[in-house]
Structure formats: structure tokens, C-alpha cells
Amino acid sequence: MIKTEKVLHLKSSRGRKVRVVREHYLREHVPCYSSLCQAQCANEGKVLSGEVTHYVIPDAGVARDFMEILEFREIQGIVFTQTACQAVQHSRGRRQYNRLRSLLKDPRHHCILFANEFQEYSYCPREKGEPQDKWQTRCVYHAAVWYHDHLAGLKPVVMITEDQTAVAEYSSLNCGVYVLSTQEYLQTFWPELQAALELYCSIAQSLQERGSEETEREYTEHLPAEVLEAGIKSGRYIQAGGGWRGHVCPQGWVLNPLLYTLFTHDCMATHASNSIIKFADDTTVVGLITNNDKEVRALETAEGAPPYPHRRDRSGEGGKLQVPRLSSPPSLQDHRVIVRLDSWDSTSLYPNGHSVRVLGRAGELETEVQTILIENCIHVPPFSEAQVGYSIIHHPHIDLCKFESLINCYGMSLVLRATTYYLADRRYDMLPAVLSADLCSLLGGVDRYAMSVMWDLDAQTLAVNKVWYGRTLIQSSYQLYYELAQALLNGEEAEVPELGHISKVITVRSSYNSKVITVRSSYHSKIKTVELVPDLLVLSCQHMVTVIKKGYRNTLTTVCVARYGLKGAVYLKNREGQVVSERQDGGCDWQTGSLQRYLDHITTTTAAGTSTFNLFQHITVRISVQPSRCHSDTLRLEVVSNRPHQAPETQAQTPQPQGARGRSQLVQEVVRQAEEASQQAEEKRGRAPKLSKEEREFRQSKCPNLYSLLEEVRELALLDLAACGDNAIVQPGIVF
Amino acid sequence: MAGLELLSDQGYRLDGRKATELRKVHARMGLFAQVDGSAYIEQGNTKALAVVYGSHEDRAARLHDRAVINCQYSMATFSTAERKRRPHGDRKSTEMSLHLKQTFEAAVLTNLYPRSQIDIYVKILQSDGGNYSACVNAATLAVIDAGIPMRDYVCACTAGFVDETPLADLCHAEESGGGTSLALALLPRGGHIDHLETLMEAAMTACKGVSKVLDEVVRQHLQEVSALTGE
């Protein structure tokens, strides 16, 4: 190893410039990671294949600015030099650098990293007075020459750079090593890849525009409070309604008669027309100005206004952003475009971006479908021939219990596609059709490996008696299809050939399944008080509760609903300053007053009188479900009366352990209410208007259907077993 | 700089070494004629100069059966990237001197020189990580140059840990990156009594005892608090 030195000028922690000398070791054997290597390099891991027409080595500037073009999978044989990677790291930051690293690790992209700065013969020390980008270009060029010679000229090497003087200087120095600009390269070598050329043009244009921008601010600064008050009084400023949590009212401005923006870092939208878009250092609330009447539609059809086409953000964060600074806006009107935001200058009203891909005209089916997929970060590239072919040749009998081989076969794409996507008119399978329809499916009469779960349910109490997990070999005697399974679940009569007498049993069991679902939901309510309790149970529940302890706040107390094991908070004072006070007949309502908290009781004093809530006193609360747009639904407990609830006469008098009695009662009650609800639904169905033939054919199956069943199964699979205690919630496996 | 990557995906460190490779070592002995022993060592860019004054009479006669070893460690003002304000007498130098003293008391056969004193002076001329190791190595060479008998060579080096890979011989950027680092000096052929095991045992047992005490305190506090609220 040869030891050299390099001199760096860094900034110390105190901000002073420091001259630092660092060692630099050079060695002869640096692996080239090419399969055409003639010198027996120790190439481990990802290796460039020799079947490409050329190898391309991007310059530091190209790697920094045009990385997206290099991410196209069609461009193969990319050799990233260490110089280029370090340029990306130092100028673009950690995020871009991590993207580059993941690109290098991804087996689907044909690119490798060559450590040119540690190779003895391709290292170029920086000359005195040489600017950094010239030095980087020189390093990359020497690396390209070394690479070409190392492969003994077997493959031509193309270096792409944006520096025109470098192109002129280096292009004719070595035969076999070509130096081109990025645009020439794309036009010459990839003429059919139109998307790459368009992307290049859009990025280049946005880079140009960014360089020539005005720097005066386009907006006014935040105003001090006195000016605000004066302005509101005089009518110059509009005060937004609603309650703001923070102490400082956020300021913003009106963009146009229909749209306003506010800048605040701590905001939660409660109105459907407001979207919150969070950026790195700030948050924007973009909302529609309404007078509480019908919402105004978006601005696509605004006449006379400059064209503001609708955009969607690629990162899937949602929100509708106005991005007028784009190349050629007129041609993109009424189109859906994927836009990547590059930067947002502090002086500018809008961010800068460039268009990545045009999806098509807004309103067309294909465009909208693609938009929805991209909004939800779903990428569904077709499976490559290699993946499909490999699976058939090497695994004629796929043992899905051996997942490693499958993952090796599919690699990253399996990880990214963890599920099958069902759309209204198509389906994107998780595995190639060959597998999902044939080799991995339980077909009638064919042996298949499977991962199975068997569980025994007691017929009466629906408790799980036994669970067994294991690998099985199944020869299915009948292949159920979705419609038949749906019919069984709905409790309809279904013809299942070859099963004859067993079909009746299946019908009964299917009704158990639907009951199991309902019961399970209410178990959720017992175990986690914040889960959704079906409305059937909760609509009119008034139960005896025990005040168990004082909260640490003056406004609420914690109660325990012994019957269901619920513990929750009950507010005695609400946000408007009203407190709960008792009426003559024992009921409670809200009145203005005050609240005092003592060691063992809370008293509320109003104009009508004083009421006391003692510790361990029995009161009556109403349990209801509080829906929320941003959070999951929660249970809400409200004080109904200060006196104990009169228990219904049907309650069993025999002393039983609390849990078992509560649970079996719960089960019976829910079953009964489910039956009542289904009866009501039947009547309603009878009264429902007749649907047209087409509607009947294509409408969604009734609930509960297979889809909701699968959803429940998925949620169960994610449920934390430890939180469930010993109430056995079955953990189903997935049978392919 | 957007963060230094101490170990790249291909296994290269910042300066191009692999994880187990040492820096280039260059050493000379016998530089000065007027002292008993001297040595100069370069470990990478860390340069250390050691000078030994062999056993001479100890006026105070502190130990009657062996020699006293007196070490002094200092750094040149030009040794770091920014000029060092206080080369002698600051806390780090005193601590380093103490470490060196303890190291050489274990290695030098001091019982051959009762009632005498051996002086070792080490100066760092350029500091780029591994100061202590360079000092120890330089001092070893200087003691050998002075002809003072030792049990064995005293060799020292640093090691660190990045992303579950151990790195050998850390440079300054790797040391100050906030990661783990360890400096070790040893007699390569054994011959010294290693107390590390017993020390670790004793400390671990003591820690477990302390954890019991802390647990008691927390439980008691909880009991008091819940007694007040009457739960």
C-alpha cells in the first residue's frame, strides 16, 4: 500500500476555517465488479454483466443533478465512481446519497460502485489551483480510462458529463473511451427511451430557471399583534373562525377569491376542505374559503386566471399544490402530471419543481387509475420473464413453507408487493399469474403444500378449544371460488357439488363465522377501550359505574364500568366552562359554574345548587362512540345521573365469576342484536327500489363479505397477543 | 460535509484502509547523542518523540527496593489543526503521564535499580489519533535504546467499532466521530498479571447490588404515592 496525503480545508465547530491533513492509502487491487474482468478481481456480490453494448460512467455533475435519469431500469451497465458518489453526498445531502446507495444495492438495477480514488493507477491528486469540478471530471475520466484498459478493451466505455470543455478536451484522447454530454448520450444510445429525454429536458430547464430568479420577496412578513387588531377593526384583515389551540393566531393571506393559505407548524385540519401539507421546515394549510355553504370546486376551470393545472405530489403526501413554475404549462393543462419538488426558496411564494411523467388527460380512466395507485405509493411493474421462468423451472412443486427460496427468486419485488391489489376493473397480483393461479393455489384434486391452521370452536360459547399450526399436504377435493364462498357467508343456499350432506354443515358454520366476527369486535371493546364498538351494542347503553379515582386534572374523573371492564375518563367541566350539575330528578346537565376538587370528592357549584361526586360512588354514564376524522374512533363516557343505574330485571342473580358472566351475556346480547339487525335489514331490502340489471350485476356484495372478512383477518394478524390477555383470539395463518 | 462515512459499503475506511489494516509505521532509534535513549515513531500521521534518562540517583529515595519511573507527556503547540494553547500541565497531559507511568512500571525490571529514578519524556509532534499508542511505542523503543531491561516490548494500539465491524488503529476522524474506541497496551508474550477479569466480576456484582437498592426505592415511592390517592 502506498501512503499519500490529501489536504482539506474544513470548517471547525467554532466556524473557523481549518486546514487538515489526512492520509490516503492507495492499493493495486481494487475490484472492478465486471464479469468481463481479465485480472481475476475479487468481484463479490453484484457484478455488471457483459451483455450490454457499453459501460457508462457518469461524471460528478451528472450524478448530482440528473440522478433520476440514471434510475431508469432500461439504462444498464452504469459504473459509479467514488468521486461521483462523494460529490452527491456532499452537495445533495444524506437523503440523495442514501438513494444512490440503495440503487447500488438493488439487484434490479445494473450499476456498481468503483472505488477509483483508492486505486493506485486511477487516482489523480489535485493540482494547485485546480477548481473542484475540473478535478472531479479529471478523476472520473482517468477512472474511465483505467476501467477500459483493465477490461483489455473488451467493452467500450462512455463517460457522460455536462461540462462542454471536458467533452472537447477528452473525447479524442483515448480510443475506446468516449466522452459525451448527457443529451447526446441519450439521443445516440437510447433513442427509444423518450421518457428519459423528456425528463432530462425538464430538469435542465428547471436548473436554468433556478439560476436566473429574482430574489425580492413575493410575500409580506408576519405582522405584529397591534397592526393585526387595528386591521381587523378597520376591516382590512379577515379573522378566520374556529378555535385555535395555540396562543398565537396563525397568519396567512388570501391567494385568490377562493383559496387562502396559512403558515403554521402545529396545526390539525378539522374541516374537510383543508389539507395540511408538511414540508421539511414548515407546514402549509391550504383551504377553500367557504361561507359554510356548498364547497367550491377546484380551480381547473377558472376562466381568465393563469393556467394552474392540478398536480399531485409524488411522495404520496396528498394535498393539492399550486405549482405554476413549470416548463411549458399551457400544454399540460387538464393533464395529470407527476411533479417532483426540487426546492422552495425563502423568497418565493411557490416551490420549484420539474415534471417527471405525464400520466394523461385528467378524467380519463387510465389516468385516474394510475393517479390513485401513485398517490398510495403502489408500484406494480410487470414481472420479468426471468422471474416467471425461474420459478417454473426450479420449483415445480412449490413448497411455500420454504420462503427463503422464493424470496431469493424474487428478491426485492416480493418484499415490495406484499399484497394483491384489487381495483374495480383489474387486479395486480402479488405473484405472477403462474404462481398465484396455479402453483400456489389449492386446486381441486391436486396435491399442494400449505401452511394450515386448525381450530376447534365450541358450538355454544364459541370459545376456542384447540389451535394447531403446521405444514400440511392438502389435496382439495373442491376448489371454492369467491362467489360461492360469498354466498355461503351470506347464509344463502349454495350448491357445492361432491359435498352433498356436508353442505348443510357448511352453511351452519358460515353463520357462526359471521357471528364470530361480531363477537370479536365487542371483545375488542372490552380489551382496548379505544377500539370501535359496533353501534348495535352501544346505541342506548346506560350502565352502572364506579367512580374510581380522581384524575389529576380538575375537570375530569376516571370511572370504571364494571360490567364490561371499561375504564375511562368522564368530564365534569367542558371547554366552555360549564360544569355538570344535578337536577331535582337526578339527571345531570351542563350549566355555568365552578368546580372544586378535594381529596375524596369533587363538588360542582352552580346557580341551581351544589352537587357532589364522591370517591367510589356509583353513578350512571352513557357510553357512545365518538368518530373522528383524524384519529381512530374513541369511546366517550358522559355523566347521565348522579345516582346508581337501576339494573334491568333480566340480569342474572346467581353469583358467578364476573368475567364469565359478563362475557357470555355479552355474546348473547350481541347475537340477539345481530339477529334483530339482520331482520331489519331484510325488511329494508324488501322495501328497497329495484336495481337495473347492470347495477345488480356489478354492485358490491353485501356486508359481511369476503373482503371484510379478509380485512378482519389481517387486523387480527397484526394484533399484539400480549395485550389480549388470556382471552383467546385466534391467530389465523394465511393459506395460499 | 454531510456526515462522514467511517466504513463504506465496500469495506473502505475514510483513508482507504480496510477494517483490519494498520497505518504505516516508521520508527528510528538513537536520534540524540546527549541522552541515554531516544526514539522517534510515526504511526500514520501521528508523530511522537521519546527521550529516556537512565537510572540516576533519586535524592528523595522514595523507594528503597526499586526504581521510581517518572513520565512526562506533552504535546507540541503545532501538533493539532488549531494551535494548542496549553501544552503542559493541563488535565489531559497529567492523566496521560500517569497512564504511561503505570504502564512502564509494569514492564521495566525496576527491582534491579533500588533507590534510583528513571525519567521518560514523550512529546507528540503531530496528533492524528492514537496519541497514547504512539507514546507507548516510542517510549518502549527509547527504553530499549537506553539499555534498561524490560520484561517484553510494550506494544499499544487503538481499536474502534462501527456498524458491528471492529476497526483497528483509529485515526483522528474516526476517534472523534463519537463512536466506541479502545486503547490497549500489552506485553505480547504475556508475562503480566491481568486483573481485568476479577475487576469486571467485582464491578458487575456491585452493579447488581445497586440495582436492587434502586428497585426498592422505586417500589417504596410508588407505595407511598398510591397510599395517598387511595387506589
Side-chain angles (χ1 to χ4, degrees), chain A residues 333-624:
Chain A
Q333 195 164 8
D334 295 330
H335 277 70
R336 294 237 182 260
V337 179
I338 300 176
V339 163
R340 176 169 287 142
L341 300 182
D342 290 326
S343 63
W344 197 329
D345 284 337
S346 56
T347 58
S348 162
L349 203 58
Y350 301 105
N352 296 322
H354 62 271
S355 69
V356 174
R357 190 152 64 104
V358 177
L359 294 173
R361 294 195 72 86
E364 282 176 13
L365 175 65
E366 192 56 45
T367 315
E368 297 298 328
V369 168
Q370 289 299 323
T371 311
I372 290 173
L373 285 178
I374 288 172
E375 258 190 337
N376 292 298
C377 298
I378 298 172
H379 299 290
V380 281
F383 289 104
S384 69
E385 293 288 332
Q387 288 172 329
V388 176
Y390 176 81
S391 58
I392 295 178
I393 292 166
H394 291 264
H395 299 273
H397 300 283
I398 291 206
D399 181 0
L400 280 163
C401 308
K402 301 213 175 8
F403 288 117
E404 315 84 65
S405 53
L406 208 64
I407 293 204
N408 286 339
C409 160
Y410 287 94
M412 284 290 291
S413 47
L414 191 69
V415 170
L416 292 172
R417 283 207 211 210
T419 176
T420 304
Y421 297 106
Y422 291 92
L423 298 174
D425 61 341
R426 68 193 83 173
R427 191 179 78 198
Y428 290 109
D429 287 322
M430 188 166 96
L431 298 168
V434 154
L435 287 184
S436 56
D438 183 12
L439 294 171
C440 299
S441 265
L442 290 176
L443 295 178
V446 184
D447 286 342
R448 287 279 178 258
Y449 286 115
M451 188 77 193
S452 298
V453 179
M454 313 273 189
W455 58 93
D456 293 332
L457 296 178
D458 187 300
Q460 248 53 50
T461 66
L462 300 175
V464 174
N465 288 337
K466 202 176 81 152
V467 187
W468 179 86
Y469 304 90
R471 296 185 192 176
T472 53
L473 188 63
I474 292 186
Q475 193 191 85
S476 168
S477 49
Y478 184 71
Q479 184 181 8
L480 216 53
Y481 50 94
Y482 283 134
E483 288 78 5
L484 190 55
Q486 190 63 51
L488 286 173
L489 271 178
N490 291 342
E492 295 163 4
E493 283 297 316
E495 261 296 309
V496 184
E498 297 159 350
L499 283 176
H501 63 286
I502 312 177
S503 62
K504 182 161 170 269
V505 177
I506 293 177
T507 318
V508 171
R509 190 152 302 176
S510 71
S511 64
Y512 275 148
N513 283 343
S514 58
K515 298 286 190 302
V516 166
I517 295 167
T518 334
V519 169
R520 203 163 48 226
S521 314
S522 49
Y523 277 146
H524 283 185
S525 77
K526 187 175 161 191
I527 292 154
K528 275 194 192 175
T529 59
V530 295
E531 285 294 336
L532 172 67
V533 175
D535 293 339
L536 304 168
L537 177 60
V538 148
L539 277 178
S540 57
C541 263
Q542 297 193 349
H543 289 284
M544 192 164 74
V545 301
T546 311
V547 176
I548 51 165
K549 74 167 182 169
K550 292 291 177 283
Y552 286 105
R553 294 153 61 173
N554 284 340
T555 54
L556 59 78
T557 185
T558 313
V559 301
C560 164
V561 181
R563 182 151 174 215
Y564 299 115
L566 287 177
K567 249 190 224 185
V570 159
Y571 284 93
L572 295 178
K573 182 174 180 178
N574 67 6
R575 286 206 197 96
E576 279 100 49
Q578 296 174 328
V579 297
V580 172
S581 81
E582 212 177 338
R583 288 195 302 262
Q584 298 301 97
D585 58 351
C588 289
D589 53 13
W590 295 97
Q591 285 179 10
T592 45
S594 66
L595 190 145
Q596 248 121 22
R597 189 182 133 224
Y598 298 96
L599 204 59
D600 60 348
H601 63 277
I602 297 181
T603 51
T604 58
T605 316
T606 61
T610 311
S611 33
T612 309
F613 296 90
N614 286 306
L615 196 58
F616 295 121
Q617 178 191 354
H618 285 221
I619 63 175
T620 309
V621 300
R622 176 182 305 123
I623 311 173
S624 58

Side-chain angles (χ1 to χ4, degrees), chain B residues 174-190:
Chain B
E174 289 164 345
E175 256 178 21
S176 58
T180 332
S181 81
L182 168 78
L184 176 70
L186 54 68
L187 305 174
R189 272 173 291 226

Side-chain angles (χ1 to χ4, degrees), chain A residues 123-259:
Chain A
Y123 171 65
C124 310
R126 189 169 173 180
E127 283 160 18
K128 216 164 150 61
E130 194 179 10
Q132 188 174 37
D133 44 354
K134 288 269 182 279
W135 173 52
Q136 284 170 344
T137 309
R138 193 162 65 92
C139 281
V140 174
Y141 178 70
H142 276 100
V145 170
W146 181 90
Y147 209 81
H148 178 253
D149 294 338
H150 181 74
L151 298 179
L154 284 176
K155 196 64 78 184
V157 168
V158 178
M159 171 180 158
I160 47 177
T161 172
E162 288 295 292
D163 186 3
Q164 291 299 332
T165 52
V167 173
E169 190 185 334
Y170 294 125
S171 57
S172 47
L173 278 184
N174 265 304
C175 77
V177 180
Y178 306 99
V179 183
L180 298 172
S181 80
T182 320
Q183 190 165 14
E184 273 174 35
Y185 172 71
L186 287 174
Q187 282 164 347
T188 321
F189 285 89
W190 305 101
E192 71 279 359
L193 202 56
Q194 272 304 312
L197 199 55
E198 282 169 18
L199 186 57
Y200 170 79
C201 293
S202 107
I203 298 177
Q205 194 153 5
S206 78
L207 280 174
Q208 256 184 352
E209 283 170 6
R210 218 183 303 161
S212 60
E213 250 176 13
E214 327 86 66
T215 53
E216 81 256 3
R217 285 166 187 259
E218 295 177 8
Y219 53 86
T220 51
E221 293 281 332
H222 272 85
L223 299 166
E226 309 81 39
V227 177
L228 268 184
E229 279 169 16
I232 291 172
K233 280 207 190 93
S234 70
R236 232 176 345 129
Y237 299 133
I238 307 168
Q239 184 170 24
W244 291 101
R245 291 233 199 117
H247 303 292
V248 177
C249 189
Q251 300 175 23
W253 57 91
V254 175
L255 289 179
N256 60 56
L258 294 171
L259 211 69

